[in-house]
Amino acid sequence: MSQFFDDTEAVRVEGIRAALGAETIDALDTAFRAYLKGKSSRAGELKQRIKHELDRAAAGRALDEATKALEAAFAERRAQLETAVQAASLVRDRVDLTLPGRDYRRGHLHPVTRIWRELEDVFVGLGYKVAEGPEVELDWYNFEALNFPPGHPARAMQDTLYVRLGEPEQVLLRTHTSPVQVRVMEAQQPPIYIVAPGRVFRRDTLDARHSPVFHQIEGLAVDEGITLGDLLGTIEAFVHALFGPSIASRFLPSFFPFTEPSVEFAMTCVFCEGAGCGVCSKTGWVELGGAGMVDPNVFAAVGIDAERYTGFAFGFGIDRLVQLLYGVDHVKNLWDGDVRFLRQF
Ligand code: PHE
């Protein structure tokens, strides 16, 4: 046996060891070049020596066998290393679905919006529909059709903000939601059962309970045989729905040009339950709003037969109600837009 066969065996054994010992694909490639690839590799050198051998056929077979064994070892190791690389990348790139998500702070409805919607729900439950009107209104709807003649002192009481548009003092920011009554009655004949929540404007100076922009909800029921008793019962139903059955309602005579008779209504102070406290100025009652039977002059202005139909209307402030419900001492807190304050509700 010539030295060739020992050298071939040595290349086979060392090459397999180098292949199986390679820790990375790069190391495996380096070993592959050293043992198998090209003329200057260990196998390449042996191949060039075959022609000097006596038994070239046996030498060729031996080298061929060794080369195949080496190739198999390199292929096997390559497959192992590739599987390992893939497994490592799966671990490295794993998405942990159990990680908590990024925390978005969720907003919520403004307390006035919430109570606005609750009020709608209460009245829709009583069979009312929700109506709307514009915030920039005509004198006709805000005053004239509501039986405030030009120059009537009750107009001055409303601290109107006029808009410089059209005829002087004909376009204004509505001072109450009552103009929606007129718009609805102009558009349809009885039976009418509507509530109209919305924003209203007055030239008021800001204090704890007055803001130049605030919200009211108007109610109007017109049908055959509607009485003052229906009005009182409706107000009571609403107060009970919102505040519970232990809260009572109270009515005092009052004046509005568009209702006759007119009342002011109040409810038991929710803070002291009628005992008297700071919120209700020790009276046990808190003012809610105004109401009354629709004045026949209003029916005449909108073309509804006052001989056949009667109706009642009411209106009260939503912001005031929210202040009472949540104990908000100054109304400006509701509108400053300070999230630290609003987040509490
Ligand atoms: N619109 C009146 C106000 O703002 C309240 C009211 C509404 C009174 C309906 C009677 C009937 O003061």
Side-chain angles (χ1 to χ4, degrees):
M1 283 293 236
S2 79
Q3 181 65 35
F4 179 86
F5 294 94
D6 288 344
D7 290 349
T8 300
E9 179 61 8
V11 167
R12 190 180 72 86
V13 171
E14 287 167 27
I16 288 173
R17 198 178 294 142
L20 298 185
E23 294 289 347
T24 65
I25 288 178
D26 276 353
L28 189 71
D29 286 340
T30 304
F32 185 79
R33 280 193 295 277
Y35 283 92
L36 277 172
K37 196 176 173 200
K39 285 185 189 164
S40 54
S41 68
R42 302 282 296 275
E45 283 169 354
L46 285 168
K47 193 174 178 190
Q48 290 167 62
R49 283 166 55 189
I50 290 176
K51 56 181 180 281
H52 306 300
E53 289 299 310
L54 284 176
D55 189 347
R56 286 195 245 162
R61 266 197 311 279
L63 181 58
D64 194 44
E65 229 169 73
T67 305
K68 284 207 172 99
L70 279 173
E71 281 171 351
F74 274 96
E76 184 191 328
R77 186 60 182 157
R78 180 171 299 276
Q80 283 174 358
L81 289 174
E82 278 173 354
T83 305
V85 165
Q86 201 174 29
S89 84
L90 280 179
V91 169
R92 190 181 54 242
D93 300 340
R94 194 182 66 202
V95 177
D96 183 353
L97 297 176
T98 67
L99 279 177
R102 243 177 268 266
D103 189 16
Y104 286 91
R105 197 154 51 224
R106 276 182 74 192
H108 60 72
L109 293 177
H110 190 281
V112 168
T113 308
R114 187 154 68 226
I115 297 305
W116 169 324
R117 294 192 183 175
E118 245 173 66
L119 289 167
E120 285 182 353
D121 282 352
V122 168
F123 286 106
V124 166
L126 292 173
Y128 286 66
K129 290 208 158 61
V130 177
E132 281 187 344
E135 292 173 358
V136 180
E137 193 44 289
L138 294 171
D139 177 273
W140 168 257
Y141 292 104
N142 198 81
F143 291 130
E144 183 108 35
L146 288 169
N147 203 27
F148 290 80
H152 192 287
R155 288 190 179 206
M157 269 168 48
Q158 298 243 343
D159 294 314
T160 313
L161 289 156
Y162 287 96
V163 176
R164 203 177 291 144
L165 201 76
E167 294 287 302
E169 303 204 346
Q170 289 304 302
V171 183
L172 45 89
L173 299 183
R174 66 178 178 189
T175 59
H176 50 177
T177 43
S178 300
V180 185
Q181 287 186 38
V182 181
R183 287 180 172 275
V184 170
M185 287 191 284
E186 272 185 353
Q188 74 174 91
Q189 284 293 312
I192 294 169
Y193 293 89
I194 59 105
V195 282
R199 190 170 292 144
V200 302
F201 308 84
R202 291 191 194 176
R203 201 161 29 76
D204 268 339
T205 305
L206 185 71
D207 70 20
R209 306 213 287 158
H210 295 85
S211 158
V213 182
F214 59 106
H215 300 79
Q216 288 187 332
I217 182 164
E218 191 82 8
L220 174 69
V222 184
D223 208 337
E224 288 181 15
I226 299 267
T227 68
L228 189 66
D230 296 319
L231 168 62
L232 307 191
T234 303
I235 299 287
E236 186 166 84
F238 135 73
V239 167
H240 286 173
L242 216 62
F243 295 97
S246 66
I247 300 298
S249 42
R250 177 182 77 164
F251 301 85
L252 297 175
S254 185
F255 171 79
F256 300 99
F258 43 98
T259 46
E260 180 60 36
S262 300
V263 297
E264 266 169 37
F265 57 98
M267 63 175 206
T268 314
C269 177
V270 285
F271 293 99
C272 60
E273 296 194 337
C277 68
V279 174
C280 58
S281 316
K282 304 242 186 301
T283 62
W285 297 95
V286 287
E287 274 295 322
L288 275 186
M293 300 305 289
V294 178
D295 193 293
N297 287 346
V298 177
F299 281 144
V302 297
I304 286 180
D305 181 357
E307 295 297 316
R308 179 168 173 202
Y309 295 110
T310 51
F312 64 74
F314 60 83
F316 54 88
I318 302 178
D319 312 56
R320 186 70 59 85
L321 209 57
V322 169
Q323 281 190 266
L324 284 171
L325 277 165
Y326 294 113
V328 177
D329 56 353
H330 201 296
V331 69
K332 91 179 169 62
N333 287 325
L334 289 175
W335 304 115
D336 274 350
D338 187 336
V339 269
R340 290 170 306 176
F341 176 79
L342 293 171
R343 208 182 283 146
Q344 303 175 89
F345 302 101

